[in-house]
Amino acid sequence: MMAFLQMCNLPIKVVCRANAEYMSPSGKVPFIHVGNQVVSELGPIVQFVKAKGHSLSDGLDEVQKAEMKAYMELVNNMLLTAELYLQWCDEATVGEITHARYGSPYPWPLNHILAYQKQWEVKRKMKAIGWGNKTLDQVLEDVDQCCQALSQRLGTQPYFFNKQPTELDALVFGHLYTILTTQLTNDELSEKVKNYSNLLAFCRRIEQHYFEDRGKGSSSIKSS
Amino acid sequence: MAAPLELSCWGGGWGLPSVHSESLVVMAYAKFSGAPLKVNVIDKTWRGSRGDVPILTTEDNIVSQPAKILNFLRKQKYNADYELSAKQGADTLAYIALIEEKLLPAVLHTFWVESDNYFSVTKPWFASRIPFPLSLILPGRISKGALNRILLTRGEPPLYHLREVEAQIYRDAKECLNLLSNRLGTSQFFFGDTPSTLDAYVFGFLAPLYKVRFPKVQLQEHLKQLSNLCRFCDDILNSYFRLSLGDG
């Protein structure tokens, strides 16, 4: 999200809030607060920014736009679900990290209750889409397939659609960066990503170009 | 390969070899890759578990779920994608994800959740192929599963009401159909002149939507306006399935 806004050259001020999930109109972080409007989630934010006259994908033709949307779905489908799975369905990670982090802004016993509730919700969703019975290895394999596809699509280009970054680049960067920099009990997920050197180079390039150049720190905002 | 491959799947109607999307994906892929499948159509006498259909049975294996079945066939050297470049292979994964996220909820809704369609077409058709008393239970279970899936994956705030979710999923499905139509353009198949996995998936999801006669047809109407997608389905039906329809 931050990557997208940076790419559009929009000045943003980043704020961490504990009740971020509740402030957002759709219950999801991240969201942006502009004047007296609040817009949440990547899709609507992109639309909103577009309506204000900034868009990253104007230079694409119809076929490329279709491809971009397809790849964004692939990333959402695979990477996002895998991240959720790892955070909430892998017992080791849940016990050691996720519960504590999710519940940390709240006093006992609220922290436990909210964490369990979220876990139950996520498990329900996983079951509905057929991921309920997947083992960790299968999830990692899916992530690997997804990274392979992204790596092949990126090839040797600087961005997915050659010279200009688009929403897809921002989305991929956001997910890969989170995977690479989040501390989890096992590093297999980030190892999978690291296997693809062009994806690593891609992340580094965006990080340097859009974040360090502007004097901002490179910590990412996570929903907690 | 020597081992006989048997595919158990839901049967056909309205000119289709199967009305079930996932079964159709596997059947189409088998035709494209030249895999010699013996197709067993499920009827009242079939004894297996119907929840997992389509199911591929070989001498030593039982494989379910289209993605796994296709992988299995590829390992047996029935590969419809060997002419694709790495980038095209990546595109295939991306477009399949697009179909599953954007089109599948609306297809599920059209078949299993929309009451007029479900009660007048889907339920009778499936119930007639399931033995009593399971015929009273199973269609309802599939229907609830479909609704559950739609609500859990799409029914998040700010869409609280089912009607709003329905509106959103149909919007997404129409957009997805438009995107597929744009991508296909005037080509015969998605990647040149020979059909591949992506063609099997698109055919599997579009053909039932195109051909099955439903009372409530908004998505079907939209699809019929995209003439290249309709032509795509008809071409595959005529070239690959015309002969086997005669054998049932």
Side-chain angles (χ1 to χ4, degrees):
Chain A
M1 192 67 258
M2 279 169 68
F4 172 70
L5 292 172
Q6 298 274 36
M7 286 172 184
C8 290
N9 262 315
L10 295 173
I12 55 170
K13 185 170 140 208
V14 171
V15 177
C16 282
R17 288 274 181 80
N19 60 344
E21 267 188 11
Y22 295 101
M23 279 170 71
S24 153
S26 76
K28 289 217 168 121
V29 281
F31 62 93
I32 57 176
H33 192 168
V34 176
N36 57 355
Q37 288 177 297
V38 184
V39 186
S40 68
E41 288 194 69
L42 184 62
I45 293 182
V46 168
Q47 301 276 49
F48 179 78
V49 166
K50 197 166 173 181
K52 297 282 174 188
H54 299 270
S55 171
L56 290 179
S57 50
D58 282 341
L60 302 181
D61 64 34
E62 286 304 321
V63 172
Q64 286 176 315
K65 280 197 183 144
E67 259 187 51
M68 186 180 83
K69 291 234 160 93
Y71 274 95
M72 284 171 75
E73 285 310 322
L74 180 65
V75 171
N76 275 334
N77 212 341
M78 294 280 188
L79 290 185
L80 183 59
T81 321
E83 280 165 25
L84 272 182
Y85 180 93
L86 236 96
Q87 275 188 327
W88 292 102
C89 303
D90 176 41
E91 292 308 324
T93 320
V94 169
E96 279 188 37
I97 301 180
T98 321
H99 257 216
R101 193 168 54 158
Y102 188 75
S104 63
Y106 310 103
W108 192 91
L110 202 55
N111 54 354
H112 282 296
I113 297 176
L114 287 175
Y116 275 116
Q117 188 184 39
K118 177 90 185 182
Q119 184 178 19
W120 181 75
E121 259 176 48
V122 171
K123 282 201 167 152
R124 244 179 97 202
K125 187 167 164 179
M126 292 289 156
K127 206 158 157 229
I129 58 175
W131 280 53
N133 292 329
K134 284 203 180 180
T135 62
L136 185 59
D137 285 333
Q138 284 171 329
V139 171
L140 288 173
E141 223 183 275
D142 284 342
V143 170
D144 192 48
Q145 236 189 9
C146 178
C147 288
Q148 192 181 34
L150 289 173
S151 175
Q152 281 166 350
R153 179 67 184 79
L154 183 61
T156 49
Q157 299 168 138
Y159 299 108
F160 278 96
F161 288 95
N162 216 1
K163 304 271 180 3
Q164 291 300 327
T166 59
E167 286 86 348
L168 176 61
D169 299 279
L171 186 67
V172 172
F173 172 72
H175 279 290
L176 292 183
Y177 191 79
T178 314
I179 292 178
L180 290 169
T181 56
T182 310
Q183 289 286 65
L184 292 177
T185 46
N186 80 27
D187 285 330
E188 286 183 36
L189 193 57
S190 57
E191 287 305 312
K192 290 278 175 203
V193 175
K194 284 182 189 160
N195 279 334
Y196 297 98
S197 55
N198 62 347
L199 291 182
L200 270 186
F202 171 77
C203 288
R204 204 143 287 154
R205 195 182 317 122
I206 295 195
E207 190 188 351
Q208 279 171 342
H209 192 78
Y210 287 99
F211 289 93
E212 284 163 21
D213 280 354
R214 287 153 205 247
K216 286 218 156 75
S218 51
S219 60
S220 54
I221 303 303
K222 283 194 263 305
S223 58
S224 60
Chain B
M1 287 283 131
L5 300 168
E6 274 190 34
L7 181 71
S8 307
C9 58
W10 293 108
W14 295 281
L16 296 172
S18 173
V19 302
H20 182 230
S21 286
E22 297 182 337
S23 306
L24 206 51
V25 168
V26 178
M27 285 165 117
Y29 183 83
K31 292 275 180 194
F32 296 159
S33 62
L37 278 194
K38 181 167 168 302
V39 176
N40 280 337
V41 169
I42 292 179
D43 59 13
K44 281 200 168 124
T45 62
W46 196 72
R47 291 240 164 272
S49 156
R50 283 173 175 75
D52 294 335
V53 168
I55 301 180
L56 184 72
T57 331
T58 64
E59 276 174 12
D60 349 284
N61 277 314
I62 298 184
V63 191
S64 65
Q65 289 184 9
K68 290 193 188 145
I69 296 180
L70 261 54
N71 267 344
F72 181 82
L73 288 175
R74 272 186 212 112
K75 290 202 179 101
Q76 302 287 320
K77 309 279 190 268
Y78 295 113
N79 188 358
D81 294 343
Y82 66 90
E83 282 184 10
L84 296 187
S85 69
K87 180 180 170 310
Q88 288 173 325
D91 282 352
T92 301
L93 270 187
Y95 277 101
I96 292 177
L98 184 69
I99 293 176
E100 285 182 351
E101 276 297 303
K102 298 282 184 185
L103 188 58
L104 177 61
V107 171
L108 280 179
H109 188 273
T110 305
F111 275 75
W112 293 99
V113 180
E114 173 63 65
S115 348
D116 286 349
N117 295 348
Y118 173 64
F119 286 109
S120 61
V121 178
T122 318
K123 188 170 177 205
W125 193 92
F126 279 89
S128 67
R129 286 157 176 79
I130 305 173
F132 186 86
L134 209 53
S135 57
L136 297 180
I137 308 173
L138 194 58
R141 205 188 288 168
I142 301 180
S143 171
K144 282 210 185 66
L147 182 60
N148 212 16
R149 181 177 176 147
I150 293 173
L151 284 181
L152 279 180
T153 52
R154 306 313 224 100
E156 286 145 2
L159 305 173
Y160 288 103
H161 201 266
L162 180 59
R163 205 161 301 288
E164 292 172 5
V165 177
E166 286 170 2
Q168 179 64 41
I169 59 178
Y170 277 103
R171 262 201 297 273
D172 285 342
K174 287 176 187 166
E175 196 195 322
C176 180
L177 290 176
N178 291 344
L179 290 177
L180 288 174
S181 179
N182 279 338
R183 176 64 183 76
L184 180 64
T186 50
S187 317
Q188 189 172 16
F189 299 109
F190 278 90
F191 295 117
D193 298 330
T194 46
S196 60
T197 305
L198 181 56
D199 300 284
Y201 267 90
V202 175
F203 175 71
F205 282 92
L206 290 189
L209 199 57
Y210 177 34
K211 296 282 185 184
V212 178
R213 295 267 159 272
F214 282 122
K216 285 269 172 67
V217 288
Q218 55 160 319
L219 199 53
Q220 199 177 59
E221 293 296 318
H222 188 89
L223 176 56
K224 287 189 176 157
Q225 288 171 14
L226 298 167
S227 53
N228 63 346
L229 291 180
C230 297
R231 191 247 318 143
F232 171 79
C233 291
D234 285 326
D235 278 351
I236 294 184
L237 278 173
N238 287 331
S239 326
Y240 292 93
F241 290 103
R242 191 179 14 151
L243 297 175
S244 61
L245 275 182
D247 311 325

